[in-house]
Amino acid sequence: MAVSYKLIQKNSTPGTSGGTKKWYAVPKSAAAQTGKQMTKAATENTTLAPIEMEAAMDLLAKYVPQQIAQGHTVHIPGVGYLRLSFKSEGVENIKDFNPSTMIKEPKLVFKPDEALRTSILQNLAYEDGG
């Protein structure tokens, strides 16, 4: 599978202005497929109707936030794992901890299943996308 890239020029030392600039390859991203385009392509040559897959994806999208809020890591078979992560300030006395002001930068962390990761990365080729 060939992946398109484009070349951009940036400072060789991040966070500084001026200095030497070098050309770096970055993936060229195309517009994301719509849900309908994705489900139609994914169900091609199967007995599953795209509308059934859309319904399943909608149910999954409602299920994931519930599970994350309950503290679970969510495994989507064949795709990967989603979990919550955040940073926190520390306190010397546990009674001084205030979660509303001391927990910061919540984010979702995705870890792809090894088979998915391998299938994407194993046979990559690169082409200049301009």
Side-chain angles (χ1 to χ4, degrees):
M1 155 176 49
V3 176
S4 291
Y5 67 89
K6 63 183 177 181
L7 294 173
I8 62 166
Q9 195 174 29
K10 21 183 199 181
N11 285 331
S12 56
T13 309
T16 62
S17 59
T20 308
K21 289 190 174 189
K22 293 184 179 179
W23 290 94
Y24 296 88
V26 294
K28 185 175 181 183
S29 297
Q33 284 188 324
T34 66
K36 288 194 183 301
Q37 290 170 325
M38 191 270 305
T39 55
K40 185 176 180 184
T43 58
E44 195 173 328
N45 300 320
T46 71
T47 58
L48 186 65
I51 193 76
E52 293 171 313
M53 186 171 180
E54 283 180 52
M57 298 296 285
D58 286 343
L59 290 171
L60 183 62
K62 291 177 185 166
Y63 170 79
V64 169
Q66 295 170 354
Q67 295 301 303
I68 296 289
Q70 292 176 15
H72 298 284
T73 294
V74 177
H75 180 221
I76 303 168
V79 177
Y81 297 84
L82 282 169
R83 65 179 174 83
L84 182 66
S85 178
F86 50 75
K87 294 181 181 180
S88 169
E89 294 179 26
V91 293
E92 289 186 24
N93 184 338
I94 195 168
K95 293 178 181 181
D96 295 334
F97 188 79
N98 181 346
S100 62
T101 60
M102 300 179 97
I103 294 177
K104 308 212 183 277
E105 299 178 43
K107 62 182 175 182
L108 278 178
V109 177
F110 173 71
K111 181 182 182 290
D113 273 349
E114 191 59 36
L116 176 67
R117 185 182 181 285
T118 300
S119 72
I120 291 171
L121 300 178
Q122 186 174 27
N123 296 311
L124 280 180
Y126 302 96
E127 65 182 27
D128 188 351

